């Protein structure tokens, strides 16, 4: 077969090889693989947004709970410090001179 059509060499061979690869790629891009159409709301999520709203509500409830716990811990720490200072002042005999609120 090579005797009938001489094999290209050098730059011509590279160009021919690239043309063949391009043709193969274009043929693959144009063929139909039997892909079925998926409805937009199923593909991208429901249009109602109820899942998103539920997630926001859960997040906000979690944040509120954490803030409540944090403020509770802070108040307890302040109370403990007040009691500690009151005990200290009492032991030093200064509870009448310094009043803690």
């Amino acid at each position: 077969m090579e005797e009938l059509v001489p094999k290209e060499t050098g730059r011509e061979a590279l160009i021919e090889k690239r043309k063949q690869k391009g043709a193969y790629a274009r043929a693959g891009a144009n063929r139909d693989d039997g892909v079925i159409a998926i409805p937009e709301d199923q593909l991208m999520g429901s249009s109602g947004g109820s899942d998103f709203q539920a997630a926001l509500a859960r997040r906000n409830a979690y944040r509120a709970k954490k803030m409540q716990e944090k403020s509770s811990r802070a108040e307890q720490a302040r109370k403990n410090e007040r009691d500690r200072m009151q005990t200290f002042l009492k032991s030093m005999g200064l509870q009448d001179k310094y009043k803690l609120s």
Side-chain angles (χ1 to χ4, degrees):
M1 183 91 151
E2 290 183 19
E3 295 136 8
L4 298 175
V5 179
K7 188 173 180 182
E8 294 180 353
T9 59
R11 181 154 172 77
E12 291 82 22
L14 289 175
I15 291 172
E16 185 60 33
K17 190 174 181 182
R18 286 183 186 153
K19 283 183 184 178
Q20 288 175 355
K21 282 184 182 180
Y24 179 76
R26 281 190 300 279
N30 292 334
R31 77 169 178 246
D32 184 22
D33 289 334
V35 177
I36 57 173
I38 300 173
E40 184 73 21
D41 62 337
Q42 187 178 4
L43 182 65
M44 299 302 285
S46 62
S47 60
S50 61
D51 292 339
F52 181 70
Q53 294 299 329
L56 281 178
R58 282 192 308 271
R59 183 192 71 182
N60 291 339
Y62 175 78
R63 285 182 176 177
K65 179 182 169 191
K66 285 297 191 183
M67 287 296 291
Q68 178 65 30
E69 290 173 357
K70 185 178 181 180
S71 65
S72 175
R73 283 192 312 268
E75 182 59 36
Q76 185 63 36
R78 281 191 290 273
K79 181 185 175 298
N80 289 344
E81 182 63 21
R82 234 181 287 123
D83 292 345
R84 224 177 279 124
M85 282 301 292
Q86 191 69 27
T87 305
F88 173 72
L89 290 174
K90 190 180 218 180
S91 70
M92 298 295 287
L94 300 173
Q95 76 268 14
D96 295 333
K97 192 171 186 178
Y98 296 100
K99 297 289 181 184
L100 299 177
S101 54

